[in-house]
């Protein structure tokens, strides 16, 4: 049986996996799980991922949750080009460092920004106090600066001269907020213009 | 604490020598410092690169505070695998992670951090994998087998936003806030946190442990180290999480036996004494810590 990827492209980590699999020519069957329809809560999907979250993967009888684990599984199984997850000890550690940091940093900020700016007020009709939104956008701004100043620095990509898993995970995260908030394309995320070049 | 030590408040920074944006997202392993609002200055971190600027002849250095769950996991792993290292203790409750020296090691001002010659590294998962590879630890810690490794990766990824969050909050809400900081926590908040911890523990048993000897298979791995050190956090606050869960308790005993009882006790000596810590008397430090840790109160 061909590899199955259970994805909803509304979700940041699902997009990272989709891009990675497509870019590397990994054959897979796309199983769309529509989060807005609650399809992730079905008994059938629980057989694939008891955590009831996307992305999830099924490779014959082997099922796997967590986007980082899935990306690493695909990397190892399909022997993708080295730059995605370098063999070099220190370069690989840099990718691991980013993949660990982002869970409670950029992921958190982008998700909160989307929900506080768009999902609660527009889709759910629930008011978000201005100070809550302000705090969320401030947190996002700080995390973006860490992304630039600690990870990107003067390099072409987050961990070196070539694209890696870290870049995929980061870019799909940032698109979450930009994609849902048309005004942010004009003014930049959090109301700033394009990131300032700082010394 | 000296005058130069900066305590991140979450509202504004008070540091006479300047403001450091890195501190604004600092999340030390015991704390999760959320942002509550306020003005954040645009300060470049470019002076603080990930690589230390000077060549070190110190060999491997591990910057740890054994009050912190992920620090304990790194400590146990290094000791168990006879990895030679110099322990650099960073006491979080004294704000030692805010020194300029430590910022050169980790501009995010978090522990654990590693310095190997000129190479510096943060994030416990990254550090464990780096040590495992560099020192060629036995395979079971992070197996080569594709599916076995995927199970470890799956746990290491899940735990960031699951067990870590509720174990930290359970320990702080039950013990550190009321006893160390003198701030009572509403009973309903503590009850809600403990209920969430209970659900996480159920997930740990049902999804990860199941009928296996260890979380990801028949041998101990880095996943078990991360999990056990996490669970000892609420244990240190008096939560009886193993007493009511015989399956989890049996796993705990296997992990302790695999690690070695002496090493396990050594790694947990600091946190198990936390309940005897006297209340913090320094009013300045107390207020600053309280403000910065408000994000743990939900």
């Amino acid at each position: 049986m061909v590899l199955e990827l259970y994805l909803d492209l509304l979700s940041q980590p699902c997009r990272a996996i989709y891009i990675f699999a497509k870019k590397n020519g990994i054959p897979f069957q796309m199983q769309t799980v529509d989060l807005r329809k609650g399809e992730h809560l079905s008994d059938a999907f629980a057989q694939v991922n008891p955590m009831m979250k996307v992305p999830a993967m099924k490779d014959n009888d082997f099922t796997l949750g967590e986007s980082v684990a899935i990306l690493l599984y695909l990397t190892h199984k399909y022997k993708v080009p080295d730059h995605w997850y370098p063999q070099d000890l220190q370069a690989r550690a840099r990718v691991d460092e980013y993949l660990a940091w982002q869970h409670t940093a950029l992921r958190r900020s982008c998700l909160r920004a989307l929900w506080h700016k768009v999902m609660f007020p527009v889709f759910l009709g629930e008011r978000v106090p201005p100070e809550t939104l302000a705090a969320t956008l401030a947190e996002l701004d700080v995390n973006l600066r860490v992304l630039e100043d600690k990870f990107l620095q003067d390099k072409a990509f987050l961990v070196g001269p070539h694209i890696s898993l870290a870049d995929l995970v980061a870019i799909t995260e940032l698109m979450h907020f930009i994609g849902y908030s048309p005004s942010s394309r004009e003014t930049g995320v959090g109301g700033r213009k394009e990131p300032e070049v700082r010394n | 604490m000296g005058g130069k030590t900066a305590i991140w408040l979450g509202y504004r920074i008070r540091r006479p020598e300047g403001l450091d944006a890195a501190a604004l997202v600092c999340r030390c392993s015991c704390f999760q410092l959320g942002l509550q609002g306020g003005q954040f200055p645009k300060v470049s971190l470019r002076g603080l690169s990930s690589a230390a600027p000077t060549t070190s002849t110190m060999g491997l250095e591990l910057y740890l505070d054994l009050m912190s769950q992920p620090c304990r996991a790194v400590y146990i792993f290094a000791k168990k695998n006879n990895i030679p290292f110099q322990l650099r203790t960073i006491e979080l409750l004294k704000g030692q992670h805010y020194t300029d020296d430590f910022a050169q090691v980790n501009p995010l001002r978090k522990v654990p951090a590693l310095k190997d010659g000129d190479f510096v590294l943060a994030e416990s998962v990254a550090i464990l994998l780096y040590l495992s590879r560099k020192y060629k630890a036995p395979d079971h810690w992070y197996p080569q087998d594709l599916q076995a490794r995927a199970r470890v990766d799956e746990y290491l990824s899940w735990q960031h936003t699951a067990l870590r969050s509720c174990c930290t909050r359970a320990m702080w809400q039950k013990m550190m806030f009321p006893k160390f900081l003198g701030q009572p926590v509403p009973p309903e908040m503590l009850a809600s946190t403990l209920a969430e911890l209970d659900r996480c523990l159920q997930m740990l048993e049902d999804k990860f442990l199941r009928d296996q000897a260890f979380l990801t298979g028949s041998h101990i791995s880095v996943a078990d180290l991360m999990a056990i050190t996490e669970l000892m956090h609420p244990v240190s606050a008096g939560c009886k999480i193993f007493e009511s869960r015989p399956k989890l308790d049996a796993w705990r005993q296997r992990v302790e036996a695999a690690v070695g009882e002496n090493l396990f006790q050594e790694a947990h000596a600091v946190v198990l004494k936390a309940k005897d810590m006297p209340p913090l008397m320094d009013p300045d430090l107390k207020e600053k810590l309280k403000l910065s840790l408000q994000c743990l109160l939900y």
Side-chain angles (χ1 to χ4, degrees):
Chain A
M1 257 201 88
V2 75
L3 177 80
E4 293 173 88
L5 295 176
Y6 291 75
L7 309 174
D8 182 339
L9 294 183
L10 263 188
S11 136
Q12 319 91 297
C14 286
R15 294 193 291 271
I17 287 170
Y18 182 83
I19 292 172
F20 184 75
K22 286 271 187 177
K23 181 68 182 170
N24 286 288
I26 295 171
F28 70 93
Q29 184 147 24
M30 171 89 163
Q31 304 285 5
T32 300
V33 180
D34 194 330
L35 296 173
R36 285 170 300 180
K37 293 182 182 168
E39 289 179 357
H40 56 303
L41 302 172
S42 68
D43 290 342
F45 183 64
Q47 298 299 310
V48 179
N49 187 5
M51 308 283 206
M52 309 220 195
K53 287 163 69 171
V54 287
M57 180 201 87
K58 192 161 183 281
D59 193 3
N60 289 309
D61 292 331
F62 183 67
T63 56
L64 190 64
E66 295 295 326
S67 57
V68 169
I70 294 169
L71 285 167
L72 294 177
Y73 180 89
L74 296 178
T75 294
H76 296 311
K77 178 167 179 177
Y78 294 92
K79 299 179 178 24
V80 300
D82 182 73
H83 61 80
W84 288 110
Y85 192 58
Q87 283 288 338
D88 176 76
L89 181 70
Q90 292 187 2
R92 179 168 284 196
R94 287 273 164 257
V95 180
D96 288 334
E97 187 184 47
Y98 181 79
L99 294 179
W101 173 81
Q102 57 87 26
H103 283 283
T104 51
L106 203 62
R107 160 79 45 89
R108 173 192 144 92
S109 299
C110 288
L111 204 57
R112 286 167 67 88
L114 172 67
W115 275 86
H116 290 169
K117 194 163 159 64
V118 178
M119 301 299 278
F120 277 123
V122 176
F123 286 100
L124 298 179
E126 286 182 25
R127 184 185 167 269
V128 175
E131 57 274 17
T132 301
L133 178 59
T136 294
L137 294 179
E139 180 186 323
L140 176 60
D141 203 49
V142 174
N143 276 317
L144 290 174
R145 284 188 225 170
V146 174
L147 187 68
E148 282 190 356
D149 293 342
K150 186 238 169 344
F151 290 101
L152 186 58
Q153 296 178 350
D154 298 318
K155 306 191 292 293
F157 295 92
L158 286 183
V159 304
H162 304 291
I163 194 170
S164 73
L165 296 179
D167 301 280
L168 275 193
V169 170
I171 196 72
T172 49
E173 210 58 64
L174 296 186
M175 289 305 293
H176 211 54
F177 180 64
I178 291 172
Y180 276 93
S181 184
S183 63
S184 68
R185 284 198 200 100
E186 293 141 22
T187 61
V189 173
R192 289 190 305 151
K193 296 226 165 111
E194 288 305 302
E196 296 168 47
V197 175
R198 293 189 287 278
N199 294 326
Chain B
M1 285 180 353
K4 283 192 177 178
T5 304
I7 301 292
W8 179 74
L9 300 176
Y11 293 91
R12 54 187 181 279
I13 303 292
R14 290 194 185 121
R15 250 180 82 152
E17 61 267 42
L19 298 165
D20 189 334
L24 300 178
V25 284
C26 172
R27 248 187 327 275
C28 42
S29 51
C30 280
F31 308 154
Q32 274 195 351
L33 306 176
L35 297 176
Q36 306 295 323
Q39 295 298 315
F40 297 99
K42 296 176 192 222
V43 175
S44 172
L45 296 176
R46 292 199 188 277
L48 304 174
S49 80
S50 289
T54 57
T55 301
S56 166
T57 54
M58 294 300 304
L60 180 71
E61 295 168 82
L62 294 177
Y63 292 75
L64 308 175
D65 182 342
L66 295 182
M67 271 292 281
S68 135
Q69 310 95 300
C71 286
R72 295 195 288 271
V74 170
Y75 183 83
I76 290 172
F77 184 79
K79 286 273 190 176
K80 182 68 183 170
N81 287 288
N82 298 310
I83 294 170
F85 69 93
Q86 194 101 38
L87 176 64
R88 303 283 182 216
T89 298
I90 302 286
E91 289 195 66
L92 300 172
L93 294 179
K94 292 182 181 172
Q96 290 178 357
H97 50 311
Y98 291 108
T99 61
D100 291 341
D101 282 346
F102 184 62
Q104 295 298 312
V105 178
N106 184 8
L108 294 177
R109 301 179 189 272
K110 288 165 63 174
V111 286
L114 168 155
K115 190 158 181 280
D116 193 2
D118 291 336
F119 181 68
V120 294
L121 188 66
E123 294 296 333
S124 56
V125 169
I127 292 170
L128 285 168
L129 298 188
Y130 177 85
L131 295 177
S132 163
R133 290 174 185 127
K134 178 168 178 175
Y135 295 92
K136 297 181 178 20
D139 181 74
H140 62 82
W141 288 111
Y142 191 58
Q144 285 288 336
D145 176 76
L146 181 68
Q147 292 187 4
R149 174 172 290 195
R151 286 277 163 252
V152 179
D153 288 333
E154 189 183 41
Y155 180 80
L156 294 178
S157 182
W158 173 80
Q159 57 86 28
H160 282 284
T161 50
L163 209 60
R164 164 73 47 82
S165 169
C166 49
C167 284
T168 305
R169 282 166 27 237
M171 190 255 204
W172 274 82
Q173 289 176 16
K174 191 163 161 51
M175 182 169 72
M176 300 299 280
F177 271 111
K179 288 175 107 177
F180 182 65
L181 295 180
Q183 179 177 344
V185 170
E188 56 275 14
M189 182 184 291
L190 177 59
S192 167
T193 295
L194 294 178
E196 188 187 325
L197 174 59
D198 203 52
R199 286 190 295 275
C200 260
L201 294 175
Q202 198 61 50
M203 189 90 72
L204 193 65
E205 285 194 24
D206 294 344
K207 147 80 186 153
F208 291 102
L209 186 57
R210 295 176 294 159
D211 297 320
Q212 300 170 131
F214 295 94
L215 286 183
T216 55
S218 48
H219 301 287
I220 192 171
S221 73
V222 291
D224 299 280
L225 282 192
M226 290 291 281
I228 195 73
T229 50
E230 208 60 64
L231 295 188
M232 290 304 289
H233 232 49
V235 164
S236 74
C239 295
K240 307 268 182 234
I241 56 180
F242 293 115
E243 281 78 348
S244 55
R245 293 176 175 276
K247 187 160 104 168
L248 208 60
D249 193 41
W251 163 79
R252 176 190 62 81
Q253 291 178 47
R254 288 190 292 273
V255 173
E256 281 190 39
V259 163
E261 199 187 319
N262 288 345
L263 175 56
F264 190 84
Q265 293 305 327
E266 182 185 315
H268 288 94
V270 170
V271 76
L272 289 175
K273 287 195 200 115
K275 65 183 186 317
D276 301 321
M277 283 172 75
L280 182 58
M281 297 310 291
D282 179 337
D284 234 16
L285 178 55
K286 187 154 117 176
E287 283 317 300
K288 287 168 184 176
L289 282 177
K290 269 190 198 177
L291 275 174
S292 68
L293 294 167
Q294 290 303 302
C295 55
L296 290 179
L297 296 174
Y298 68 91

